[in-house]
């Protein structure tokens, strides 16, 4: 699979570990940075990575910041992206099955590298359930996306 990776300084170590882990498993990784622990603004890496999932250059995205909150907010601004902030492997599975999430957000300061790798494996190893009730809910999200800019 082709996977976009992005982080800020608060999760640089996690991003590097996830990159290595994914490459070892045979995935292609596009690394949008950041490339050090020097302070930077997460929208600068997370936004282009999320766009690359929306435009299908990448199949999935994994975005990280200190808490994962900022990264998930940015990712969910991109039309076509459904991003979940996950702290627990069970939720990683549920959010693929129910929400068909295509971007995963992680918090480098709140999740250990070992748990982050577990979450990544569980998330990538799970699939959308295809159940009608979940399809309907995702369709409604897509309709909200279509009209969201109309209320200015
Ligand atoms: C950076 O200090 C921190 O604000 C950021 O990594 C993230 O936690 C924001 O949501």
């Amino acid at each position: 699979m082709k996977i976009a990776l992005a982080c800020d300084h608060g999760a640089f170590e996690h991003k590097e570990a996830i990159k290595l882990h994914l490459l070892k498993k045979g995935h292609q990784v596009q690394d949008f940075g950041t490339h050090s622990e020097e302070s930077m603004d997460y929208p600068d890496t997370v936004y282009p990575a999320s766009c690359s999932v929306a435009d299908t250059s990448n199949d999935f995205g994994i975005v990280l910041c200190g808490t994962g909150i900022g990264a998930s907010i940015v990712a969910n601004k991109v039309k076509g992206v459904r991003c979940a902030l996950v702290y627990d492997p069970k939720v990683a599975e549920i959010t693929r099955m129910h929400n068909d999430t295509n971007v995963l957000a992680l918090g480098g300061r709140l999740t250990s590298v070992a748990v982050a790798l577990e979450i990544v494996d569980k998330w990538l190893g799970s699939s959308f359930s295809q159940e009608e009730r979940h399809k309907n809910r995702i369709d409604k999200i897509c309709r909200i996306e279509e009209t969201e800019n109309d209320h200015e």
Side-chain angles (χ1 to χ4, degrees):
M1 274 185 283
K2 290 192 281 181
I3 300 166
L5 269 187
C7 71
D8 76 355
H9 53 283
F12 172 69
E13 186 196 344
H14 287 62
K15 190 260 290 170
E16 291 298 297
I18 292 168
K19 179 160 73 173
L20 212 66
H21 184 72
L22 294 175
L23 290 172
K24 273 192 200 152
K25 289 190 171 254
H27 295 294
Q28 287 178 47
V29 173
Q30 188 175 0
D31 184 349
F32 288 81
T34 187
H35 301 291
S36 76
E37 286 180 355
E38 192 183 329
S39 181
M40 57 81 67
D41 302 328
Y42 52 81
D44 296 342
T45 55
V46 171
Y47 180 65
S50 304
C51 290
S52 82
V53 176
D55 72 17
T56 71
S57 324
N58 285 300
D59 301 309
F60 292 105
I62 301 173
V63 298
L64 307 95
C65 62
T67 58
I69 296 170
S72 66
I73 290 171
V74 172
N76 279 312
K77 296 287 177 196
V78 177
K79 189 174 167 183
V81 164
R82 286 181 300 282
C83 172
L85 169 57
V86 172
Y87 290 149
D88 166 81
K90 184 68 199 162
V91 179
E93 181 181 21
I94 294 170
T95 193
R96 283 289 300 125
M97 290 175 69
H98 291 195
N99 315 114
D100 198 14
T101 44
N102 49 12
V103 175
L104 170 70
L106 296 166
R109 292 190 176 130
L110 297 171
T111 303
S112 69
V113 169
V115 171
L117 296 180
E118 234 184 284
I119 290 171
V120 166
D121 285 345
K122 190 56 108 177
W123 188 69
L124 289 174
S126 307
S127 313
F128 181 49
S129 68
Q130 300 292 346
E131 281 177 49
E132 213 49 40
R133 64 198 166 112
H134 294 308
K135 279 186 180 171
N136 288 340
R137 290 160 192 167
I138 292 169
D139 284 348
K140 287 187 180 187
I141 293 171
C142 293
R143 284 204 289 280
I144 290 169
E145 270 182 341
E146 290 304 328
T147 55
E148 174 54 18
N149 289 323
D150 296 352
H151 57 70
E152 288 168 0

